[in-house]
Amino acid sequence: MRFTFIIKPATIHNRRTGNRHYYPAEREELVETVLRSLAVEENPNFIKDDLVLMFDLRYFLERLGQVSKKRIYPSEEIQLALDILTSTQFELHNGSTELSFHAIEELRRVPQEEDIFYYVRFNYMFLGDNQIFDYSFGDVNPNKFRSGD
């Protein structure tokens, strides 16, 4: 059986620049790597069989610094990466069946006194034994799929 995998870009609205289309790239892959490590190491919550993480931005940036040795990302870029992972649509086709999903099903920002807390609900297809495919955004042709194009 042959499958076709399609990545549709996230459309992110910015007041200054209007709508821009983004494909996941290396930054989003790093963010997802940290999310997965938090899911494994930080005793995630399960709500109706959905994996849910809650974390603060400062802690997330600290963990990202451990994973990304070559670059430090400002918090605005991390928020954009989370928005891209939430809004990018993945489709899997095999002729008669179509499956459409997002890596992150739900993302909520909860501002606190000195930080921002995040609530993230994953799509089960991107996690552990349920994962239907292994992928790397860093392996995608950078000339065809660049973040911000």
Side-chain angles (χ1 to χ4, degrees):
M1 185 177 298
R2 185 179 178 142
F3 287 92
T4 303
F5 183 67
I6 299 169
I7 301 174
K8 293 187 175 180
T11 302
I12 308 294
H13 181 76
N14 180 304
R15 283 184 239 153
R16 289 180 286 135
T17 61
N19 288 342
R20 292 194 66 190
H21 302 286
Y22 295 87
Y23 284 97
E26 183 180 5
R27 175 187 61 199
E28 287 72 31
E29 185 173 6
L30 288 170
V31 166
E32 187 179 14
T33 298
V34 173
L35 289 172
R36 285 177 191 242
S37 71
L38 291 175
V40 170
E41 299 166 10
E42 300 295 327
N43 296 323
N45 299 305
F46 286 89
I47 299 172
K48 295 183 182 178
D49 294 328
D50 288 336
L51 175 63
V52 176
L53 282 178
M54 289 172 265
F55 56 88
D56 64 83
L57 185 58
R58 264 192 242 168
Y59 181 64
F60 187 87
L61 290 170
E62 182 181 305
R63 293 293 299 267
L64 183 65
Q66 296 168 359
V67 173
S68 174
K69 305 290 186 212
K70 51 185 176 172
R71 181 165 178 206
I72 297 173
Y73 292 97
S75 60
E76 296 80 19
E77 285 195 38
I78 300 310
Q79 292 178 45
L80 177 59
L82 288 166
D83 288 338
I84 291 169
L85 288 171
T86 305
S87 301
T88 300
Q89 184 172 338
F90 298 91
E91 294 182 357
L92 194 59
H93 303 263
N94 75 348
S96 61
T97 304
E98 179 180 313
L99 187 59
S100 179
F101 50 92
H102 303 272
I104 296 174
E105 289 293 327
E106 184 178 1
L107 172 69
R108 288 189 218 158
R109 291 178 183 87
V110 183
Q112 297 292 325
E113 290 177 19
E114 296 182 16
D115 204 353
I116 298 174
F117 283 82
Y118 286 87
Y119 167 95
V120 174
R121 185 170 56 88
F122 288 95
N123 185 298
Y124 71 95
M125 299 175 89
F126 281 80
L127 298 168
D129 294 337
N130 295 324
Q131 190 171 326
I132 61 167
F133 48 81
D134 189 21
Y135 63 93
S136 172
F137 295 133
D139 293 338
V140 174
N141 180 344
N143 296 320
K144 188 173 182 185
F145 301 112
R146 283 197 324 255
S147 196
D149 287 347

